[in-house]
Amino acid sequence: MGEHSLNKKQGITSLRIKRILITIVLILISIMCLFWFVLLFVNTTRSNGELGRGFTLIPSTHLITNIKNLYEGTIPILNGMLNSFLVAGLSALLCVYFSTMTAYAVQMYTFKGKKAIITFILAIMMIPTQVTALGFINLVSALGLENNFIPLIIPSIAAPVTFFYMKQYMASNLPPSLIEAARIDGAGELKTFNLIALPLMKPAIAVQAIFTFVASWNNYFVPSLILHDDTKKTLPVLIAQLRSADWLKFDMGQVYAMISFSIFPVIIVYLILSKNIVGGTTAGGVKE
Amino acid sequence: MKTGKTNVVSKYNRWGYIFLIPFFVVFLIFQLIPLVNTIYNSFFENYMSGLRRVGPNFVGFQNYSALFKGGDLLQYFGNTMIMWIMGFVPQILLALLLGAWFANPSLRLKGQRFFKTVIYLPNLIMASAFAMLFFTLFADGGPINNMLIQAGMIAQPIKFMSNVWTVRSLVAFMNFLIWFGNTTILLLAGMLGIPADLYEAAEVDGASPTTIFFKITLPLLKPIFIYVIITSLIGGLQMFDVPQILTNGSGDPMRSSMTLIMYLNKHLYSKNYGMAGALSVLLLIITGILSLIVFKFTAKKEAK
């Protein structure tokens, strides 16, 4: 008896030590994740001269100066942010609205070829955008849409991944009886979708809107192929332009400010909404 | 529910087709037509010679044989795979470890939500800006070199950007940072889905935590494991933003970090459409085969 409780006590102590060790490892991993962004922030607050003098994690006082210099410099940063915001915002809006609509079509109606359509969307899900890029830029130039945001926004209407997420969410959260009740009340189909289905899909719409916004905000490959005018470029394209410039001549404070403008908006939004985002990654992807 | 209402419902069912129209029209215009055009272009000689356009002339499979000649393709494929493996192996190991810790109820770890939020954060960062950040941080006179010199760990700055393995390591490390949180969350979801009574039964039988991990957790995790590996491999083949920005599209030193998509991007910029088409079709075929493997396994899982 006594020996047993002693063993138990030892077990609890070793568990406590284990817990402390694991927490230390987790803290180290967190530092590995956050270090780069802390350093980025600190460097954004330092002047070019200070940056040349050495490494530190203590913020300086030149944040506003760097931002002001960047704004007055040759890189159209404000334009870039507005462009990125416009493209990402409209992409997210169209993507969630029409993906919900497509999911609604296969979830709420019975019609011939429905199964084949779902399989087809599953099959096209894995086609990487890079693989069709050649045909895409040929199409864009044939339509005269270079330096235009339309080819960056409209394609988000056909988003297989968002569609599947919406379909799954709908299957467990939108009972068909509800839609039927609306029909009996005489509401039109489009009206039923807009006024009854959409509001009930809000949680899923919010998660997918964030994901689509971030993906579009960060997208570099396709925009770099079709946006050539400086005033039309989005942030990733401007970053690439900054990289290919003779960067040694640059005021490094401005370079860090530019990177900050691309990274921190997303981080701030993420920290506010992180609960939905971290949960949202698995809810639609792998179901168990 | 069916028989009585069929007549009423069938009246509405054409709306199923109507609601599908936007998706399929956009898919047709912006994905299917470009795909067909890409395949079509792969059979034509079509490139710029100075300011003069050569072609388009039908050449059959000549672009494909040109692609395989000279060994460039193989080298770039090798680069892509090396950098993917260098990032993926530590990523999956760390994700397994973290997943096992988070899923273990007896540990009762504090601050789980905080840690999950932090490790997932790099996944949302603009990869091109992240690469630009690393380029400035790891520059010859950059903060990392300054830090190491100030700490007395090195006397001369390390030239990160002119060594084959430091460049590859930086690319792999960035990919690792971007993806390990995501992989952890995926594996964790799988681990939490394993019935608790299985663990309890094993504990009653006196199995050690290590035995439980290798004999119960890992085998039951196999479907998700395969899903994670293959989707990561598909993503790895598309590796572009990070090495492109880090090396300014050159893939230097000596094109040792040039990936397949960077190669494609080069052909697209120089308007070498024949070669770009052939390379795209090749990538499409590889991705298609890999996707089929994923579908096979996920279909099996659902059938169970």
Side-chain angles (χ1 to χ4, degrees):
Chain A
M1 230 326 237
E3 202 176 290
H4 184 80
S5 76
L6 193 72
N7 270 345
K8 207 174 170 189
K9 213 173 213 173
Q10 271 178 350
I12 289 170
T13 324
S14 80
L15 192 68
R16 193 170 290 157
I17 293 172
K18 208 172 160 191
R19 198 178 296 152
I20 292 169
L21 285 177
I22 289 176
T23 308
I24 291 172
V25 174
L26 287 175
I27 290 170
L28 289 177
I29 291 171
S30 302
I31 292 173
M32 174 183 79
C33 288
L34 297 176
F35 173 74
W36 318 102
F37 308 115
V38 173
L39 191 53
L40 169 63
F41 177 77
V42 171
N43 282 353
T44 308
T45 66
R46 302 173 75 201
S47 71
N48 193 41
E50 285 172 334
L51 284 163
R53 246 170 273 147
F55 166 87
T56 178
L57 281 176
I58 302 160
S60 182
T61 52
H62 298 272
L63 179 65
I64 305 295
T65 329
N66 282 336
I67 294 172
K68 207 173 137 251
N69 288 341
L70 178 66
Y71 174 70
E72 287 164 354
T74 49
I75 293 170
I77 176 73
L78 196 67
N79 244 315
M81 286 200 75
L82 285 174
N83 293 342
S84 276
F85 200 80
L86 192 70
V87 170
L90 288 176
S91 293
L93 263 175
L94 288 183
C95 179
V96 292
Y97 182 78
F98 285 104
S99 297
T100 312
M101 183 181 266
T102 313
Y104 188 78
V106 299
Q107 205 60 32
M108 293 299 159
Y109 300 94
T110 33
F111 51 86
K112 243 190 213 160
K114 193 166 95 168
K115 262 211 164 124
I117 283 171
I118 296 172
T119 313
F120 178 76
I121 297 178
L122 192 69
I124 62 173
M125 186 156 77
M126 289 294 191
I127 302 176
T129 38
Q130 292 97 326
V131 162
T132 57
L134 168 59
F136 190 80
I137 52 177
N138 281 338
L139 176 80
V140 166
S141 65
L143 295 174
L145 289 175
E146 284 181 31
N147 285 317
N148 196 307
F149 295 149
I150 289 173
L152 299 177
I153 296 169
I154 300 296
S156 62
I157 289 174
V161 179
T162 315
F163 158 79
F164 274 104
Y165 184 95
M166 293 304 185
K167 184 173 166 299
Q168 261 184 29
Y169 188 89
M170 212 177 265
S172 46
N173 291 289
L174 193 67
S177 54
L178 206 76
I179 304 305
E180 273 162 37
R183 272 182 198 140
I184 291 162
D185 289 348
E189 294 300 295
L190 191 63
K191 212 173 166 189
T192 310
F193 171 73
N194 281 331
L195 297 182
I196 294 171
L198 268 188
L200 287 168
M201 293 293 289
K202 253 186 204 157
I205 288 176
V207 170
Q208 285 304 311
I210 296 161
F211 274 117
T212 315
F213 184 92
V214 170
S216 173
W217 177 271
N218 294 346
N219 189 14
Y220 168 53
F221 187 78
V222 174
S224 76
L225 290 169
I226 58 177
L227 302 176
H228 311 297
D229 287 356
D230 262 9
T231 51
K232 290 285 181 184
K233 285 177 178 168
T234 53
L235 285 175
V237 187
L238 288 175
I239 292 269
Q241 188 180 327
L242 181 68
R243 173 63 183 90
S244 61
D246 190 2
W247 69 280
L248 275 174
K249 284 183 198 142
F250 268 82
D251 170 3
M252 289 312 287
Q254 282 185 53
V255 172
Y256 286 114
M258 168 91 192
I259 301 171
S260 286
F261 273 116
S262 311
I263 286 180
F264 284 119
V266 173
I267 291 190
I268 292 165
V269 173
Y270 170 67
L271 292 180
I272 297 169
L273 302 168
S274 66
K275 201 178 154 201
N276 304 319
I277 295 177
V278 176
T281 47
T282 47
V286 182
K287 52 167 186 190
E288 272 300 301
Chain B
M1 181 210 147
K2 282 278 137 71
T3 44
K5 283 179 187 164
T6 308
N7 283 338
V8 190
V9 171
S10 64
K11 195 170 68 180
Y12 299 109
N13 280 338
R14 66 190 171 92
W15 277 91
Y17 293 116
I18 295 171
F19 282 149
L20 283 175
I21 291 172
F23 183 100
F24 279 93
V25 168
V26 169
F27 169 75
L28 181 81
I29 296 173
F30 287 103
Q31 283 182 48
L32 195 61
I33 291 175
L35 181 64
V36 173
N37 182 274
T38 304
I39 299 170
Y40 176 85
N41 265 288
S42 73
F43 297 111
F44 284 82
E45 179 184 56
N46 185 355
Y47 62 94
M48 298 295 282
S49 175
L51 285 174
R52 199 170 51 89
R53 170 159 292 286
V54 178
N57 308 310
F58 182 76
V59 290
F61 284 93
Q62 250 177 51
N63 289 323
Y64 292 88
S65 54
L67 197 60
F68 281 101
K69 241 179 257 161
D72 277 359
L73 182 76
L74 211 65
Q75 193 200 336
Y76 301 150
F77 178 73
N79 293 342
T80 313
M81 284 297 98
I82 287 171
M83 289 190 284
W84 174 68
I85 291 168
M86 284 169 70
F88 184 72
V89 172
Q91 174 197 320
I92 193 92
L93 291 178
L94 187 61
L96 260 179
L97 187 69
L98 293 180
W101 284 345
F102 288 143
N104 188 341
S106 67
L107 277 174
R108 278 190 302 270
L109 286 175
K110 286 209 182 84
Q112 275 207 35
R113 248 183 54 71
F114 169 79
F115 290 124
K116 281 183 206 161
T117 305
V118 168
I119 62 171
Y120 191 76
L121 186 138
N123 193 255
L124 297 169
I125 300 303
M126 186 188 291
S128 47
F130 200 26
M132 183 70 198
L133 176 63
F134 264 54
F135 173 71
T136 48
L137 294 183
F138 285 86
D140 293 350
I144 299 296
N145 266 319
N146 286 337
M147 182 180 79
L148 293 174
I149 291 172
Q150 276 165 248
M153 289 165 79
I154 52 170
Q156 294 296 318
I158 301 170
K159 291 191 186 320
F160 285 101
M161 298 312 296
S162 23
N163 178 294
V164 175
W165 289 101
T166 46
V167 173
R168 282 178 176 171
S169 301
L170 284 180
V171 173
F173 179 63
M174 269 184 272
N175 281 323
F176 158 78
L177 262 187
I178 292 172
W179 288 106
F180 87 92
N182 189 289
T183 310
T184 304
I185 305 287
L186 279 175
L187 291 181
L188 175 63
M191 287 175 184
L192 292 174
I194 298 172
D197 44 338
L198 269 177
Y199 288 114
E200 280 158 24
E203 262 170 41
V204 169
D205 290 346
S208 72
T210 325
T211 318
I212 292 176
F213 182 74
F214 282 103
K215 297 279 173 186
I216 296 180
T217 312
L218 274 191
L220 286 173
L221 221 53
K222 201 177 146 198
I224 295 190
F225 225 73
I226 288 162
Y227 172 85
V228 167
I229 291 175
I230 307 280
T231 48
S232 168
L233 181 56
I234 293 172
L237 284 170
Q238 295 163 35
M239 197 187 293
F240 175 71
D241 294 20
V242 168
Q244 173 80 12
I245 299 292
L246 192 70
T247 68
N248 197 18
S250 68
D252 278 341
M254 293 178 306
R255 294 177 298 155
S256 62
S257 54
M258 174 81 83
T259 65
L260 288 172
I261 300 293
M262 286 167 75
Y263 189 40
L264 172 66
N265 190 59
K266 254 196 155 127
H267 284 317
L268 289 176
Y269 262 94
S270 53
K271 301 199 186 299
N272 192 349
Y273 288 161
M275 292 294 274
L279 183 55
S280 301
V281 172
L282 197 69
L283 283 164
L284 179 70
I285 293 169
I286 299 174
T287 316
I289 294 170
L290 291 171
S291 305
L292 275 180
I293 299 174
V294 173
F295 289 142
K296 223 188 112 195
F297 273 96
T298 43
K300 240 189 208 164
K301 201 179 60 179
E302 265 162 33
K304 259 181 203 170

